[in-house]
């Protein structure tokens, strides 16, 4: 949360409890990076106070000092966050969540809370009234806040980030409502092929994701400065409790985008939390608990099924490539062992594979890292069902939660045709798939008893042609 870019630095804040790896009174942890790849931890940015814990939110650069909080001619950095008052919640009150702001004059190193917080009380006593995402609406010259409110979102407007007026609501009759709506985001995005501009709203929900637990759905439409309306071609995809998801894996939740990316860059940059509330507090880690996904560039494409968000790993990640191994074109039936050919372990590895699928059969093709103990993980594509999938059930320890490894996770294929592209990133305890140039994504974590040391490409139920392949050993971002 609170992500913004200023003075050459990407700022990332996150929900943090310094006294435990289990959820507790929330703070804003803080990290900065100059490339979204290598990060520096900074001191805690925001601590709980008498108004409550510090839940999720956003941050902006107030370039014109509309808030009046700037000094010495420099724009203030302004964070907008949810206060969660646990005492009021225990007393049975539903107005225990309100919105506050804080500001910084030293490039985000220290933050001062506004003396008149909260700037947005809870006017309707909505129990889940949180996660403000604020953007500058250049066309209407106003700040716009999208705020989760139980089973929908509310839009608010302000001229100074302090005084807010309600604009409209959206969502009670659209999308999936199996759980609480959280962590919205709103931004304009040009359609890649036509240049037309649409508005995209991200919306996380817990539970209710297609493979269980937490997930992030999205909506595509138009915003006139007051009201968000769905594009007619997109509406059928989110009618009748249906949803379209930015990532179909179990472990990409609450992701939002950076504000204030320079115009000359022009990208819409996204990062998510790599976990799931079904088991986030009990995963078998000791010195850390959860991680972020890889940063991603979002684009909007017009497909045969309507507008869809595509996600690609940011180009800056290529700086981590420390060794390259080309995989020759070959026909694959059964299994192709890559272990000796690659000469580096499949942990901390990037893999790009281009396949030609046969027209007369429906193979199951993918990648399988494994250990000498027989633990393995499979991620690939089933042509018969037209679904990508991730199967972590044999990948190691999952005794910590009965909800962790119950089934194979699947994602629909958006692209058409017989050319299949799998772009994969493997870390010691995670895999991220960007298929068909990011049209379909799957992010999953797993916990083998030892690092994977072997890797193979397989094709079951019929052969396929590997047209080209590249493997890259990746450096650690911490060492």
């Amino acid at each position: 949360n609170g992500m913004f870019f200023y003075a050459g630095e990407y700022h990332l804040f996150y929900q943090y409890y310094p006294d435990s790896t289990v959820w507790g009174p929330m703070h804003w942890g803080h990290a900065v990076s100059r490339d979204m790849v290598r990060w520096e931890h900074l001191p805690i940015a925001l601590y709980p106070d008498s108004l409550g814990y510090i839940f999720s939110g956003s941050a902006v650069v107030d370039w014109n000092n509309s808030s009046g909080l700037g000094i010495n001619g420099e724009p203030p950095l302004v964070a907008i966050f949810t206060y969660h008052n646990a005492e009021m919640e225990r007393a049975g009150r539903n107005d225990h969540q309100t919105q506050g702001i804080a500001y910084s004059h030293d490039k985000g190193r220290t933050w001062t809370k506004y003396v008149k917080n909260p700037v947005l009380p809870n006017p309707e006593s909505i129990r889940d009234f949180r996660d403000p995402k604020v953007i500058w609406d250049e066309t209407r010259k106003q700040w716009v806040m999208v705020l989760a409110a139980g089973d929908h979102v509310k839009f608010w407007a302000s001229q100074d980030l302090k005084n807010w007026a309600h604009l409209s609501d959206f969502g009670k009759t659209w999308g999936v409502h199996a759980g609480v709506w959280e962590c919205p985001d709103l931004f304009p995005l040009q359609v890649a092929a036509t240049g037309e501009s649409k508005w995209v709203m991200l919306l996380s929900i817990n539970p209710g994701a297609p493979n269980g637990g937490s997930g992030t759905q999205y909506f595509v439409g138009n915003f006139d400065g007051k009201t968000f309306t769905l594009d007619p071609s997109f509406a059928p995809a989110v009618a009748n409790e249906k949803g379209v998801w930015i990532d179909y894996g179990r472990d990409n939740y609450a992701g939002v985008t950076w504000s204030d990316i320079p115009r000359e860059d022009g990208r819409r940059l996204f990062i998510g939390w790599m976990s799931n509330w079904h088991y986030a507090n009990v995963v078998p880690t000791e010195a850390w608990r959860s991680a972020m996904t890889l940063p991603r560039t979002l684009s909007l494409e017009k497909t045969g099924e309507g507008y869809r968000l595509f996600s690609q790993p940011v180009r800056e990640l290529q700086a981590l490539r420390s060794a390259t191994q080309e995989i020759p074109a070959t026909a694959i039936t059964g299994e192709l062992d890559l272990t000796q050919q690659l000469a580096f372990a499949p942990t901390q590895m990037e893999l790009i594979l281009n396949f030609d699928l046969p027209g007369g059969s429906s193979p199951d093709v993918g990648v399988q890292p494994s250990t000498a103990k027989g633990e393995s993980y499979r991620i690939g594509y089933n042509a018969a069902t037209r679904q990508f999938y991730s199967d972590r059930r044999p990948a190691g320890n999952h005794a910590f939660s009965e909800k962790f490894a119950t089934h194979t996770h699947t994602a629909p294929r958006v692209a058409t045709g017989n050319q299949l592209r799998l772009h994969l990133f493997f870390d010691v305890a995670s895999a991220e798939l960007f298929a068909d140039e990011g049209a379909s994504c799957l992010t999953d974590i797993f916990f083998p008893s030892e690092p994977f040391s072997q890797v193979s490409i397989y094709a079951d139920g019929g052969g396929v042609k590997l047209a080209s392949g590249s493997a890259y050993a990746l450096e650690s971002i911490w060492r």
Side-chain angles (χ1 to χ4, degrees), residues 342-366:
L342 294 184
F344 48 79
T347 54
Q348 292 182 204
M349 179 180 73
E350 179 184 1
L351 198 58
I352 301 176
L353 303 173
N354 295 296
F355 296 96
D356 293 332
L357 300 176
S361 63
S362 299
D364 179 345
V365 57

Side-chain angles (χ1 to χ4, degrees), residues 3-11 61 63 258-262:
M3 292 145 50
F4 68 92
F5 179 86
Y6 182 68
E9 293 180 323
Y10 298 90
H11 290 256
V61 182
W63 291 103
W258 268 278
S259 73
D260 295 285
I261 298 300

